[in-house]
Amino acid sequence: MEAKFPNNYHLSIVIGPLFFWRISAKRIERFFMKEYDLDHEKTFISAFQAGEEKVFRYVFEKFYSSLCVYCLRLIREECVAADLVQEAFVKLWENRQNFSSLLTIRSYLYTIVRNSGINYLRYVKMKAEKLE
């Protein structure tokens, strides 16, 4: 029997003395109680490794906007953030043989974007120091 929560149910988690995290019932069900289809993911990853463009397009559409927001928070320049995210997808395509799950693809993309953003900020800082 699967547990169901009413739609207006929220779980509040105390993270610290002043921080609360409120989780809706739908998020709880989606995160903890959803069955995970491992066979579908294996098929997906093998198609991704084989270089199927439809699968890559799906990964791009799934992660592009959230990666742009993540990078924009880091470097605060919209055009540069979009460029860094696109470079991350190029690196993903070049290294597509090394992935075993969609979770590793996601973490790889976020790591590449974070490191590229940090490198860009170092470059800007160094360039500003040389001009002074």
Side-chain angles (χ1 to χ4, degrees):
M1 182 174 196
E2 186 176 310
K4 291 281 185 184
F5 295 101
N7 285 338
N8 61 351
Y9 177 82
H10 286 82
L11 175 67
S12 294
I13 300 173
V14 178
I15 298 174
L18 301 174
F19 300 102
F20 294 94
W21 186 23
R22 203 168 170 201
I23 304 173
S24 69
K26 288 184 180 183
R27 280 189 117 168
I28 293 170
E29 285 181 28
R30 187 175 48 204
F31 188 75
F32 294 108
M33 297 172 197
K34 184 179 173 185
E35 286 188 25
Y36 193 70
D37 188 4
L38 192 58
D39 292 334
H40 176 70
E41 185 175 7
K42 287 180 181 176
T43 305
F44 179 85
I45 292 299
S46 62
F48 180 74
Q49 290 174 339
E52 289 197 26
E53 290 182 25
K54 287 181 182 180
V55 177
F56 183 76
R57 187 176 302 124
Y58 171 79
V59 171
F60 183 83
E61 289 171 358
K62 182 173 177 71
F63 296 117
Y64 180 77
S65 60
S66 61
L67 284 168
C68 282
V69 170
Y70 176 71
C71 191
L72 187 60
R73 278 192 235 150
L74 183 64
I75 63 171
R76 310 230 186 260
E77 293 182 40
E78 192 172 340
C79 293
V80 176
D83 287 343
L84 293 177
V85 170
Q86 285 185 0
E87 288 175 16
F89 278 103
V90 169
K91 291 177 184 177
L92 174 69
W93 181 256
E94 291 170 351
N95 297 314
R96 67 184 178 274
Q97 298 296 326
N98 302 331
F99 298 100
S100 59
S101 72
L102 193 56
L103 184 61
T104 58
I105 291 173
R106 181 184 182 277
S107 60
Y108 177 82
L109 284 169
Y110 275 89
T111 302
I112 291 294
V113 168
R114 184 189 71 232
N115 291 343
S116 297
I118 291 170
N119 289 342
Y120 175 78
L121 290 174
R122 285 180 188 151
Y123 169 76
V124 169
K125 183 179 176 182
M126 184 178 66
K127 191 175 179 181
E129 288 174 355
K130 284 185 178 181
L131 290 176
E132 292 178 352

